[in-house]
Amino acid sequence: MSHHRTTLGLALGALLLLLTTACGSTNELVAGDDSGGSSETSSASTGVIAQISEQDLDQARANFDAAKAAWEERKPPGFVFRAGVESINMIEIVFDADGVAAAETVVFGEADPEGWASVPRSVEEAFDEVEELLVRFESGEWPVPDPDDCGSHFTADFDPELGAPGYYDTLGPCDDGVGIRIEVIPEGVVADAPVIAAAPCLETDFYGTWQSVETDSSAEAEVSLTLADGGSSLTVEGTTEPVGEWFCADGQIVAIRDTGEEWPLASINEDGTLTVSGVAVTKTN
């Protein structure tokens, strides 16, 4: 069973790309070669985002310092700063040419969502938070675990053009959750509209019996779906099939077969009904 960390992070799955620095300018962000071969220097124009983790602290420190130096050199005179706990909230702050911040705007969610990580209010604050994680490992306060082991982990990447942190988390293979996402938009650049996450889906909202037609005690509904915490079932034209585990996500009710296979059980409609086997059903209790 995974542990939901209230700190940060989007689980990344496989081993992280380990990064090395090349000889030369400290403002170059460098992508390493997992095969142990030579490293290829990647300048900002390549679009490669340098990722760091606790798995190679020397590489992490070198790339962190390079990213911070790049930001100090390339910091735009005015910009929009967006930050938030991914899929949970987002705030937006405009910094003028003198570095003065305007009042923040909450794009979606809450300014400081309870139970989640704190959201940085500047690029410098984001750098401080990433470096604090790095120092905890460098100092030995947090031991470095194997990549597939539980324990303390962290991940961060940086904007390939400006050097600013773009994402960071503290998730490992035993954790789930979301991370801090950051975007810096220089003045005069037309930015994409922020992606606003859909409202969370609560399984308890769907508990009950859903039927396609009203029936009396002597008749059966064409489609009847019962959703509960255990004991769920689907009846279509008099044939009943038990439904094991299920969850709701992205506008769907998804069931999990005994084999672990997921299958779409119902679509969630805007009018409060569900669509099951092509038939709209409404909750009867």
Side-chain angles (χ1 to χ4, degrees), residues 13 15 35 48 73 76 78 168 175 185 194 196 200 211 260 266:
L15 291 177
S35 66
V48 174
E73 178 183 332
Y168 58 94
D175 307 303
I185 307 158
I196 300 177
Q211 293 185 333

Side-chain angles (χ1 to χ4, degrees), residues 40-219:
E40 178 183 354
T41 302
S42 302
S43 65
S45 61
T46 65
V48 174
I49 297 178
Q51 294 178 325
I52 65 174
S53 77
E54 78 289 341
Q55 292 300 302
D56 192 318
L57 295 178
D58 289 339
Q59 292 174 348
R61 169 55 67 180
N63 280 279
F64 175 87
D65 291 345
K68 192 169 185 179
W71 169 253
E72 292 172 353
E73 178 183 332
R74 304 168 190 171
K75 178 180 178 180
F79 58 91
V80 175
F81 174 82
R82 290 176 180 169
V85 182
E86 197 165 34
S87 79
I88 304 298
N89 83 317
M90 178 185 290
I91 56 101
E92 185 175 278
I93 303 174
V94 176
F95 288 81
D96 65 19
D98 295 324
V100 178
E104 69 181 50
T105 299
V106 178
V107 179
F108 69 87
E110 301 177 358
D112 293 291
E114 184 178 356
W116 296 91
S118 61
V119 178
R121 261 55 182 186
S122 68
V123 172
E124 289 72 22
E125 185 176 334
F127 269 120
D128 289 344
E129 293 194 8
V130 174
E131 185 164 32
E132 181 180 351
L133 295 173
L134 180 56
V135 169
R136 287 180 182 273
F137 288 98
E138 290 177 325
S139 67
E141 178 183 351
W142 289 357
V144 176
D146 288 336
D148 297 328
D149 287 349
C150 300
S152 297
H153 294 263
F154 88 95
T155 303
D157 63 38
F158 305 93
D159 186 295
E161 295 182 1
L162 300 175
Y167 174 87
Y168 58 94
D169 68 40
T170 60
L171 291 187
C174 299
D175 307 303
D176 58 17
V178 288
I180 294 290
R181 182 69 64 185
I182 298 168
E183 185 178 10
V184 175
I185 307 158
E187 185 177 357
V189 173
V190 178
D192 294 334
V195 177
I196 300 177
C201 180
L202 300 177
E203 280 77 10
T204 53
D205 291 343
F206 299 96
Y207 284 3
T209 298
W210 299 74
Q211 293 185 333
S212 57
V213 294
E214 294 185 1
T215 63
D216 56 32
S217 59
S218 63

Side-chain angles (χ1 to χ4, degrees), residues 9-20:
L10 179 66
L12 296 180
L15 291 177
L16 296 170
L17 178 66
L18 296 181
L19 306 173
T20 60

Side-chain angles (χ1 to χ4, degrees), residues 206 210-211 266-276 279-283:
F206 299 96
W210 299 74
Q211 293 185 333
S267 297
I268 302 171
N269 305 318
E270 293 184 358
D271 62 358
T273 64
L274 302 180
T275 297
V276 182
V279 178
V281 296
T282 58
K283 187 187 290 188

